[in-house]
Amino acid sequence: MGLEIVLNDITEGAKADVRRIGEEADAASLQIIGEARQASKEALGSRLLEVEEKLEQQRQQVLSSANLEVKRIVLNRRKALLDQVYDQALEKIKNMPADENEKYLKTLIKNHEKGGYKIYSNAKSEDIVKKLSKLEYGGNLDCIGGIVIENKEGNVRLDFTYDLMIKTVYDRSLKSISDILNG
């Protein structure tokens, strides 16, 4: 029986060791699983944060692009409106009554022909300019009206065409015109 007792003690000891090792293994596996879950949560949280940041960047890019597109459309519409106003002003000048045109030409010639040698105008105003000016008529210009006066050497030309005058006034007044038209 002594052997049986020793064998029984060894068996009981082995069973206790198996239980203890099993419990330690269970505890270790629970700890590993817990750490894995925590690491997974942290990785998922980190990844989720990255995704949220990328989504916010994309949202900002889309908003910026949309804002730029809206500004471009508004600017194009304003430009079209300004061009329309400019074209209407040119049209009014083209179609001004002959007596009014003659009055403007007379004033231009009177104030600027001194020191000039040749004078130019459009074909429509040729007869009026020849009648009003003492200068040699130099020919017709492609313009809506007004005159150009040239010195004897031909190296100085004073441009008093309506085209240039309205463009100069328009360019100088563009900001004010834009503010008026666009509130």
Side-chain angles (χ1 to χ4, degrees), residues 121-172:
S121 71
N122 65 9
K124 184 178 171 184
S125 302
E126 180 178 347
D127 293 335
I128 298 169
V129 170
K130 283 180 178 178
K131 177 179 90 172
L132 296 173
S133 178
K134 299 173 200 146
L135 302 178
E136 178 184 324
Y137 191 77
N140 294 332
L141 301 171
D142 182 21
C143 64
I144 61 171
I147 57 171
V148 171
I149 297 175
E150 187 176 73
N151 69 352
K152 189 169 189 169
E153 294 78 31
N155 59 0
V156 176
R157 293 184 86 164
L158 302 176
D159 189 338
F160 298 104
T161 58
Y162 300 154
D163 309 62
L164 181 64
M165 284 187 231
I166 195 160
K167 177 152 180 33
T168 302
V169 169
Y170 178 78
D171 289 345
R172 260 192 251 143

Short mmCIF file of all heavy atoms in Angstrom, two decimals, residues 121-172:
data_model
loop_
_atom_site.label_atom_id
_atom_site.label_comp_id
_atom_site.label_asym_id
_atom_site.label_seq_id
_atom_site.Cartn_x
_atom_site.Cartn_y
_atom_site.Cartn_z
N SER A 121 -11.06 111.41 -88.59
CA SER A 121 -12.34 111.08 -87.96
C SER A 121 -12.91 109.84 -88.64
O SER A 121 -12.33 109.34 -89.60
CB SER A 121 -13.33 112.24 -88.11
OG SER A 121 -13.75 112.36 -89.46
N ASN A 122 -14.07 109.38 -88.16
CA ASN A 122 -14.71 108.27 -88.87
C ASN A 122 -15.41 108.83 -90.12
O ASN A 122 -15.57 110.04 -90.27
CB ASN A 122 -15.67 107.50 -87.96
CG ASN A 122 -16.86 108.32 -87.49
OD1 ASN A 122 -17.09 109.43 -87.94
ND2 ASN A 122 -17.61 107.76 -86.55
N ALA A 123 -15.80 107.96 -91.00
CA ALA A 123 -16.40 108.39 -92.28
C ALA A 123 -17.70 109.15 -92.05
O ALA A 123 -18.00 110.12 -92.76
CB ALA A 123 -16.64 107.17 -93.17
N LYS A 124 -18.45 108.77 -91.06
CA LYS A 124 -19.74 109.40 -90.76
C LYS A 124 -19.57 110.89 -90.38
O LYS A 124 -20.40 111.71 -90.71
CB LYS A 124 -20.40 108.62 -89.61
CG LYS A 124 -21.77 109.08 -89.22
CD LYS A 124 -22.30 108.17 -88.10
CE LYS A 124 -23.58 108.71 -87.51
NZ LYS A 124 -24.03 107.90 -86.38
N SER A 125 -18.45 111.21 -89.73
CA SER A 125 -18.22 112.58 -89.26
C SER A 125 -17.30 113.38 -90.18
O SER A 125 -16.99 114.54 -89.89
CB SER A 125 -17.59 112.55 -87.86
OG SER A 125 -18.41 111.88 -86.95
N GLU A 126 -16.86 112.81 -91.27
CA GLU A 126 -15.86 113.45 -92.14
C GLU A 126 -16.29 114.85 -92.57
O GLU A 126 -15.53 115.81 -92.44
CB GLU A 126 -15.59 112.58 -93.38
CG GLU A 126 -14.57 113.18 -94.32
CD GLU A 126 -14.28 112.28 -95.51
OE1 GLU A 126 -14.65 111.10 -95.49
OE2 GLU A 126 -13.66 112.79 -96.46
N ASP A 127 -17.50 115.00 -93.10
CA ASP A 127 -17.95 116.31 -93.59
C ASP A 127 -18.00 117.34 -92.47
O ASP A 127 -17.60 118.50 -92.66
CB ASP A 127 -19.32 116.18 -94.27
CG ASP A 127 -19.26 115.37 -95.55
OD1 ASP A 127 -18.17 115.31 -96.16
OD2 ASP A 127 -20.30 114.78 -95.93
N ILE A 128 -18.48 116.95 -91.32
CA ILE A 128 -18.57 117.87 -90.18
C ILE A 128 -17.18 118.32 -89.75
O ILE A 128 -16.93 119.52 -89.53
CB ILE A 128 -19.31 117.21 -88.99
CG1 ILE A 128 -20.73 116.84 -89.36
CG2 ILE A 128 -19.29 118.10 -87.75
CD1 ILE A 128 -21.43 115.94 -88.35
N VAL A 129 -16.24 117.38 -89.65
CA VAL A 129 -14.88 117.69 -89.21
C VAL A 129 -14.20 118.61 -90.23
O VAL A 129 -13.54 119.59 -89.86
CB VAL A 129 -14.06 116.39 -88.98
CG1 VAL A 129 -12.59 116.69 -88.76
CG2 VAL A 129 -14.63 115.62 -87.79
N LYS A 130 -14.37 118.33 -91.52
CA LYS A 130 -13.77 119.20 -92.55
C LYS A 130 -14.34 120.61 -92.44
O LYS A 130 -13.61 121.59 -92.64
CB LYS A 130 -14.05 118.62 -93.94
CG LYS A 130 -13.17 117.44 -94.29
CD LYS A 130 -13.50 116.92 -95.69
CE LYS A 130 -12.61 115.77 -96.10
NZ LYS A 130 -12.96 115.24 -97.43
N LYS A 131 -15.60 120.72 -92.15
CA LYS A 131 -16.26 122.02 -92.03
C LYS A 131 -15.78 122.78 -90.79
O LYS A 131 -15.57 123.99 -90.84
CB LYS A 131 -17.79 121.82 -91.97
CG LYS A 131 -18.59 123.10 -91.77
CD LYS A 131 -20.08 122.80 -91.76
CE LYS A 131 -20.47 122.52 -90.32
NZ LYS A 131 -21.90 122.39 -90.12
N LEU A 132 -15.56 122.07 -89.69
CA LEU A 132 -15.23 122.72 -88.41
C LEU A 132 -13.74 122.98 -88.21
O LEU A 132 -13.38 123.85 -87.41
CB LEU A 132 -15.74 121.86 -87.24
CG LEU A 132 -17.24 121.67 -87.12
CD1 LEU A 132 -17.55 120.66 -86.01
CD2 LEU A 132 -17.93 123.00 -86.85
N SER A 133 -12.87 122.25 -88.89
CA SER A 133 -11.44 122.34 -88.62
C SER A 133 -10.68 123.04 -89.74
O SER A 133 -11.02 122.92 -90.92
CB SER A 133 -10.87 120.93 -88.42
OG SER A 133 -9.49 121.00 -88.21
N LYS A 134 -9.60 123.71 -89.36
CA LYS A 134 -8.70 124.36 -90.31
C LYS A 134 -7.58 123.41 -90.70
O LYS A 134 -6.79 123.71 -91.59
CB LYS A 134 -8.09 125.62 -89.68
CG LYS A 134 -9.10 126.66 -89.29
CD LYS A 134 -8.40 127.77 -88.52
CE LYS A 134 -9.42 128.54 -87.71
NZ LYS A 134 -8.93 129.03 -86.46
N LEU A 135 -7.47 122.29 -90.01
CA LEU A 135 -6.39 121.34 -90.27
C LEU A 135 -6.67 120.53 -91.53
O LEU A 135 -7.81 120.39 -91.96
CB LEU A 135 -6.23 120.38 -89.08
CG LEU A 135 -5.94 121.02 -87.71
CD1 LEU A 135 -5.86 119.94 -86.65
CD2 LEU A 135 -4.67 121.84 -87.75
N GLU A 136 -5.58 119.97 -92.08
CA GLU A 136 -5.70 119.10 -93.25
C GLU A 136 -6.39 117.81 -92.81
O GLU A 136 -6.04 117.23 -91.77
CB GLU A 136 -4.29 118.79 -93.80
CG GLU A 136 -4.29 117.86 -94.97
CD GLU A 136 -2.86 117.50 -95.41
OE1 GLU A 136 -1.97 118.35 -95.33
OE2 GLU A 136 -2.67 116.34 -95.81
N TYR A 137 -7.35 117.35 -93.60
CA TYR A 137 -8.05 116.11 -93.25
C TYR A 137 -7.16 114.94 -93.64
O TYR A 137 -6.76 114.80 -94.80
CB TYR A 137 -9.42 116.02 -93.95
CG TYR A 137 -10.26 114.89 -93.40
CD1 TYR A 137 -10.90 115.03 -92.17
CD2 TYR A 137 -10.38 113.69 -94.07
CE1 TYR A 137 -11.64 114.00 -91.64
CE2 TYR A 137 -11.12 112.65 -93.54
CZ TYR A 137 -11.75 112.81 -92.32
OH TYR A 137 -12.48 111.78 -91.78
N GLY A 138 -6.82 114.07 -92.67
CA GLY A 138 -5.88 112.97 -92.89
C GLY A 138 -6.53 111.67 -93.32
O GLY A 138 -5.86 110.78 -93.84
N GLY A 139 -7.83 111.54 -93.13
CA GLY A 139 -8.49 110.30 -93.53
C GLY A 139 -9.45 109.80 -92.47
O GLY A 139 -9.65 110.42 -91.44
N ASN A 140 -10.01 108.64 -92.79
CA ASN A 140 -11.02 108.04 -91.92
C ASN A 140 -10.39 107.02 -90.96
O ASN A 140 -9.45 106.32 -91.33
CB ASN A 140 -12.10 107.35 -92.74
CG ASN A 140 -12.90 108.33 -93.55
OD1 ASN A 140 -13.05 109.48 -93.19
ND2 ASN A 140 -13.42 107.88 -94.69
N LEU A 141 -10.98 106.97 -89.79
CA LEU A 141 -10.57 106.00 -88.77
C LEU A 141 -11.71 105.02 -88.53
O LEU A 141 -12.87 105.36 -88.73
CB LEU A 141 -10.29 106.72 -87.44
CG LEU A 141 -9.21 107.79 -87.43
CD1 LEU A 141 -9.25 108.53 -86.09
CD2 LEU A 141 -7.85 107.15 -87.62
N ASP A 142 -11.35 103.86 -88.06
CA ASP A 142 -12.36 102.88 -87.66
C ASP A 142 -12.68 103.11 -86.19
O ASP A 142 -12.02 102.56 -85.30
CB ASP A 142 -11.82 101.46 -87.89
CG ASP A 142 -12.85 100.41 -87.55
OD1 ASP A 142 -14.06 100.74 -87.53
OD2 ASP A 142 -12.45 99.25 -87.30
N CYS A 143 -13.64 103.99 -85.93
CA CYS A 143 -14.04 104.30 -84.57
C CYS A 143 -15.51 104.72 -84.60
O CYS A 143 -16.08 104.92 -85.66
CB CYS A 143 -13.17 105.41 -83.98
SG CYS A 143 -13.31 106.99 -84.82
N ILE A 144 -16.11 104.83 -83.42
CA ILE A 144 -17.54 105.21 -83.40
C ILE A 144 -17.73 106.71 -83.48
O ILE A 144 -18.84 107.18 -83.71
CB ILE A 144 -18.25 104.64 -82.14
CG1 ILE A 144 -17.63 105.18 -80.86
CG2 ILE A 144 -18.28 103.14 -82.17
CD1 ILE A 144 -18.42 104.84 -79.62
N GLY A 145 -16.68 107.47 -83.29
CA GLY A 145 -16.77 108.91 -83.39
C GLY A 145 -15.58 109.57 -82.75
O GLY A 145 -14.69 108.92 -82.22
N GLY A 146 -15.57 110.92 -82.82
CA GLY A 146 -14.46 111.66 -82.24
C GLY A 146 -13.41 111.97 -83.30
O GLY A 146 -13.64 111.78 -84.50
N ILE A 147 -12.25 112.45 -82.83
CA ILE A 147 -11.19 112.84 -83.75
C ILE A 147 -9.83 112.39 -83.23
O ILE A 147 -9.68 112.08 -82.04
CB ILE A 147 -11.15 114.39 -83.93
CG1 ILE A 147 -10.97 115.08 -82.57
CG2 ILE A 147 -12.38 114.88 -84.68
CD1 ILE A 147 -10.71 116.58 -82.64
N VAL A 148 -8.86 112.37 -84.13
CA VAL A 148 -7.46 112.20 -83.79
C VAL A 148 -6.73 113.35 -84.47
O VAL A 148 -6.94 113.60 -85.66
CB VAL A 148 -6.90 110.84 -84.27
CG1 VAL A 148 -5.39 110.78 -84.09
CG2 VAL A 148 -7.56 109.69 -83.53
N ILE A 149 -5.88 114.03 -83.73
CA ILE A 149 -5.10 115.15 -84.27
C ILE A 149 -3.63 114.74 -84.26
O ILE A 149 -3.12 114.22 -83.26
CB ILE A 149 -5.32 116.43 -83.44
CG1 ILE A 149 -6.79 116.85 -83.52
CG2 ILE A 149 -4.40 117.55 -83.93
CD1 ILE A 149 -7.17 118.02 -82.66
N GLU A 150 -2.96 115.01 -85.38
CA GLU A 150 -1.57 114.60 -85.55
C GLU A 150 -0.72 115.84 -85.80
O GLU A 150 -1.15 116.77 -86.50
CB GLU A 150 -1.50 113.64 -86.74
CG GLU A 150 -0.17 112.99 -86.98
CD GLU A 150 -0.26 111.99 -88.13
OE1 GLU A 150 -0.36 112.44 -89.29
OE2 GLU A 150 -0.26 110.79 -87.84
N ASN A 151 0.52 115.86 -85.28
CA ASN A 151 1.40 116.99 -85.54
C ASN A 151 2.02 116.86 -86.94
O ASN A 151 1.82 115.85 -87.63
CB ASN A 151 2.47 117.13 -84.45
CG ASN A 151 3.51 116.02 -84.46
OD1 ASN A 151 3.40 115.04 -85.19
ND2 ASN A 151 4.53 116.17 -83.64
N LYS A 152 2.77 117.87 -87.37
CA LYS A 152 3.31 117.90 -88.72
C LYS A 152 4.27 116.74 -88.98
O LYS A 152 4.28 116.17 -90.08
CB LYS A 152 4.02 119.24 -88.97
CG LYS A 152 4.43 119.46 -90.40
CD LYS A 152 4.88 120.88 -90.64
CE LYS A 152 5.06 121.09 -92.13
NZ LYS A 152 5.24 122.49 -92.48
N GLU A 153 5.06 116.39 -88.00
CA GLU A 153 6.03 115.30 -88.15
C GLU A 153 5.35 113.92 -88.13
O GLU A 153 5.95 112.94 -88.53
CB GLU A 153 7.09 115.36 -87.03
CG GLU A 153 7.98 116.57 -87.08
CD GLU A 153 7.29 117.84 -86.52
OE1 GLU A 153 6.43 117.73 -85.62
OE2 GLU A 153 7.59 118.92 -87.02
N GLY A 154 4.16 113.86 -87.65
CA GLY A 154 3.42 112.61 -87.59
C GLY A 154 3.84 111.72 -86.44
O GLY A 154 3.46 110.55 -86.37
N ASN A 155 4.63 112.27 -85.51
CA ASN A 155 5.10 111.43 -84.40
C ASN A 155 4.28 111.64 -83.12
O ASN A 155 4.48 110.94 -82.14
CB ASN A 155 6.59 111.68 -84.12
CG ASN A 155 6.90 113.12 -83.78
OD1 ASN A 155 6.02 113.96 -83.74
ND2 ASN A 155 8.17 113.39 -83.55
N VAL A 156 3.36 112.59 -83.12
CA VAL A 156 2.48 112.80 -81.97
C VAL A 156 1.04 112.77 -82.46
O VAL A 156 0.66 113.50 -83.37
CB VAL A 156 2.77 114.15 -81.27
CG1 VAL A 156 1.78 114.38 -80.14
CG2 VAL A 156 4.19 114.20 -80.75
N ARG A 157 0.28 111.89 -81.85
CA ARG A 157 -1.15 111.79 -82.18
C ARG A 157 -1.95 111.94 -80.90
O ARG A 157 -1.73 111.21 -79.94
CB ARG A 157 -1.46 110.44 -82.83
CG ARG A 157 -0.82 110.27 -84.19
CD ARG A 157 -1.23 108.98 -84.81
NE ARG A 157 -2.49 109.22 -85.50
CZ ARG A 157 -3.01 108.42 -86.41
NH1 ARG A 157 -2.39 107.31 -86.72
NH2 ARG A 157 -4.14 108.70 -86.99
N LEU A 158 -2.87 112.87 -80.93
CA LEU A 158 -3.77 113.06 -79.79
C LEU A 158 -5.08 112.37 -80.13
O LEU A 158 -5.75 112.74 -81.08
CB LEU A 158 -4.00 114.55 -79.54
CG LEU A 158 -2.74 115.38 -79.26
CD1 LEU A 158 -3.10 116.85 -79.13
CD2 LEU A 158 -2.02 114.89 -78.02
N ASP A 159 -5.40 111.36 -79.36
CA ASP A 159 -6.58 110.52 -79.64
C ASP A 159 -7.76 111.01 -78.80
O ASP A 159 -7.77 110.87 -77.58
CB ASP A 159 -6.27 109.06 -79.32
CG ASP A 159 -7.35 108.11 -79.78
OD1 ASP A 159 -8.50 108.55 -79.97
OD2 ASP A 159 -7.03 106.92 -79.97
N PHE A 160 -8.74 111.60 -79.48
CA PHE A 160 -9.97 112.05 -78.84
C PHE A 160 -11.16 111.30 -79.43
O PHE A 160 -12.24 111.86 -79.59
CB PHE A 160 -10.15 113.57 -79.00
CG PHE A 160 -9.06 114.35 -78.36
CD1 PHE A 160 -8.06 114.94 -79.13
CD2 PHE A 160 -9.00 114.48 -76.98
CE1 PHE A 160 -7.04 115.66 -78.54
CE2 PHE A 160 -7.97 115.21 -76.38
CZ PHE A 160 -6.99 115.79 -77.17
N THR A 161 -10.94 110.03 -79.74
CA THR A 161 -12.05 109.22 -80.25
C THR A 161 -12.97 108.88 -79.09
O THR A 161 -12.53 108.73 -77.94
CB THR A 161 -11.55 107.92 -80.92
OG1 THR A 161 -10.79 107.18 -79.97
CG2 THR A 161 -10.70 108.22 -82.16
N TYR A 162 -14.24 108.76 -79.41
CA TYR A 162 -15.21 108.40 -78.37
C TYR A 162 -14.90 107.03 -77.79
O TYR A 162 -15.12 106.79 -76.61
CB TYR A 162 -16.63 108.44 -78.92
CG TYR A 162 -17.07 109.78 -79.45
CD1 TYR A 162 -18.06 109.87 -80.42
CD2 TYR A 162 -16.53 110.97 -78.99
CE1 TYR A 162 -18.49 111.10 -80.91
CE2 TYR A 162 -16.95 112.20 -79.48
CZ TYR A 162 -17.92 112.26 -80.43
OH TYR A 162 -18.34 113.47 -80.91
N ASP A 163 -14.37 106.15 -78.64
CA ASP A 163 -14.01 104.79 -78.19
C ASP A 163 -13.03 104.86 -77.03
O ASP A 163 -13.22 104.22 -75.98
CB ASP A 163 -13.37 103.99 -79.33
CG ASP A 163 -14.15 104.00 -80.61
OD1 ASP A 163 -14.34 105.11 -81.17
OD2 ASP A 163 -14.58 102.93 -81.06
N LEU A 164 -11.95 105.64 -77.24
CA LEU A 164 -10.93 105.74 -76.20
C LEU A 164 -11.46 106.47 -74.97
O LEU A 164 -11.17 106.08 -73.84
CB LEU A 164 -9.68 106.46 -76.74
CG LEU A 164 -8.54 106.58 -75.72
CD1 LEU A 164 -8.02 105.20 -75.34
CD2 LEU A 164 -7.42 107.43 -76.29
N MET A 165 -12.25 107.51 -75.20
CA MET A 165 -12.78 108.26 -74.06
C MET A 165 -13.67 107.38 -73.19
O MET A 165 -13.54 107.38 -71.96
CB MET A 165 -13.58 109.48 -74.56
CG MET A 165 -12.72 110.61 -75.04
SD MET A 165 -13.77 112.02 -75.39
CE MET A 165 -13.25 112.42 -77.03
N ILE A 166 -14.57 106.64 -73.81
CA ILE A 166 -15.47 105.81 -73.00
C ILE A 166 -14.70 104.67 -72.33
O ILE A 166 -14.98 104.32 -71.18
CB ILE A 166 -16.68 105.28 -73.79
CG1 ILE A 166 -17.71 104.75 -72.80
CG2 ILE A 166 -16.29 104.20 -74.76
CD1 ILE A 166 -19.10 104.65 -73.34
N LYS A 167 -13.69 104.13 -73.01
CA LYS A 167 -12.88 103.06 -72.39
C LYS A 167 -12.12 103.62 -71.19
O LYS A 167 -12.06 102.97 -70.14
CB LYS A 167 -11.91 102.47 -73.41
CG LYS A 167 -11.02 101.41 -72.77
CD LYS A 167 -10.57 100.39 -73.74
CE LYS A 167 -9.69 99.32 -73.16
NZ LYS A 167 -9.90 98.91 -71.82
N THR A 168 -11.57 104.81 -71.33
CA THR A 168 -10.83 105.42 -70.22
C THR A 168 -11.76 105.69 -69.04
O THR A 168 -11.44 105.36 -67.90
CB THR A 168 -10.18 106.74 -70.69
OG1 THR A 168 -9.31 106.45 -71.79
CG2 THR A 168 -9.37 107.38 -69.58
N VAL A 169 -12.91 106.27 -69.31
CA VAL A 169 -13.88 106.54 -68.24
C VAL A 169 -14.35 105.23 -67.61
O VAL A 169 -14.44 105.10 -66.39
CB VAL A 169 -15.08 107.35 -68.78
CG1 VAL A 169 -16.21 107.40 -67.77
CG2 VAL A 169 -14.64 108.75 -69.16
N TYR A 170 -14.62 104.24 -68.44
CA TYR A 170 -15.08 102.94 -67.96
C TYR A 170 -14.02 102.30 -67.06
O TYR A 170 -14.33 101.83 -65.96
CB TYR A 170 -15.38 102.03 -69.15
CG TYR A 170 -15.83 100.64 -68.79
CD1 TYR A 170 -17.12 100.38 -68.37
CD2 TYR A 170 -14.95 99.56 -68.89
CE1 TYR A 170 -17.54 99.10 -68.04
CE2 TYR A 170 -15.36 98.29 -68.57
CZ TYR A 170 -16.65 98.06 -68.15
OH TYR A 170 -17.04 96.79 -67.83
N ASP A 171 -12.76 102.30 -67.53
CA ASP A 171 -11.69 101.69 -66.73
C ASP A 171 -11.51 102.41 -65.39
O ASP A 171 -11.31 101.79 -64.36
CB ASP A 171 -10.37 101.69 -67.50
CG ASP A 171 -10.38 100.69 -68.66
OD1 ASP A 171 -11.27 99.82 -68.70
OD2 ASP A 171 -9.49 100.81 -69.54
N ARG A 172 -11.58 103.75 -65.42
CA ARG A 172 -11.42 104.52 -64.20
C ARG A 172 -12.60 104.32 -63.25
O ARG A 172 -12.45 104.38 -62.04
CB ARG A 172 -11.32 106.01 -64.53
CG ARG A 172 -9.89 106.50 -64.50
CD ARG A 172 -9.84 108.00 -64.53
NE ARG A 172 -9.34 108.37 -65.83
CZ ARG A 172 -9.72 109.41 -66.53
NH1 ARG A 172 -10.64 110.22 -66.08
NH2 ARG A 172 -9.21 109.66 -67.71
#
